[in-house]
Amino acid sequence: MKFYTEYLWFNTEKKRQYIRITDQVEKAVQKSGIREGMVLVSAMHITASVFVNDNESGILQDIDEMLEKLAPYRPDYRHHRTGETNGDAHLKSLLMHHEVIVPVTEGKLDLGPWQEIFYGEFDGQRRKRVIIKVMGE
Ligand code: ZN
């Protein structure tokens, strides 16, 4: 089995932002030369996520509103006793999960018709990264 690793760096303009990364993952799969296998795409942070969903601005706003309802930005999280202010971002990351695995077939991402890969940032405006690990033959 072959492995290929690449990192994507982000420094978002906003604190919370959703970035489509399907093309970057597809390029990493091409560079790997792997034809059959899978690719792991994983946020290397506890306040960010990687998820698969529709590249449609309405649903991205709906996701953002859902997260703000379930884990609102507020000052009184226990986590803030450490001096941090990003308790909501940790919870949002848990709700959206930190990684996905996507199948690779005949050298390409084998996604469904509307599936796209996104990086979800919940505590941005600083340098953060995602690991892409392609595995297969
Ligand atoms: Zn924190």
Side-chain angles (χ1 to χ4, degrees):
M1 180 145 77
K2 278 205 294 182
F3 292 88
Y4 173 82
T5 306
E6 201 174 297
Y7 300 89
L8 302 178
W9 286 92
F10 300 92
N11 191 346
T12 56
E13 277 168 43
K14 292 189 267 177
K15 271 277 178 200
R16 286 212 311 280
Q17 206 165 320
Y18 306 93
I19 299 166
R20 181 182 168 275
I21 57 171
T22 314
D23 295 342
Q24 289 99 310
V25 177
E26 184 86 64
K27 271 186 203 130
V29 169
Q30 280 168 15
K31 271 194 243 165
S32 76
I34 289 165
R35 304 279 304 160
E36 294 294 328
M38 62 189 94
V39 56
L40 169 78
V41 189
S42 183
M44 298 173 77
H45 300 271
I46 50 187
T47 55
S49 80
V50 172
F51 61 94
V52 169
N53 218 291
D54 194 355
N55 184 30
E56 190 274 309
S57 61
I59 194 66
L60 291 173
Q61 272 178 307
D62 291 336
I63 290 168
D64 192 59
E65 276 177 32
M66 173 193 75
L67 292 174
E68 196 52 32
K69 248 180 234 160
L70 293 172
Y73 181 82
R74 57 170 219 239
D76 61 334
Y77 287 110
R78 287 172 193 83
H79 181 54
H80 296 174
R81 291 176 197 161
T82 64
E84 290 207 55
T85 57
N86 61 0
D88 71 305
H90 287 264
L91 299 178
K92 286 172 171 115
S93 167
L94 283 174
L95 289 166
M96 294 302 289
H97 306 288
H98 73 282
E99 66 189 5
V100 296
I101 294 173
V102 177
V104 173
T105 307
E106 293 176 1
K108 288 186 170 167
L109 291 177
D110 207 348
L111 289 164
W114 298 102
Q115 288 185 313
E116 299 270 1
I117 308 167
F118 289 89
Y119 173 66
E121 176 61 82
F122 307 119
D123 186 20
Q125 298 174 322
R126 57 201 173 95
R127 264 167 74 73
K128 291 167 86 166
R129 65 182 173 158
V130 161
I131 184 168
I132 299 174
K133 193 171 282 281
V134 193
M135 298 162 265
E137 300 289 333

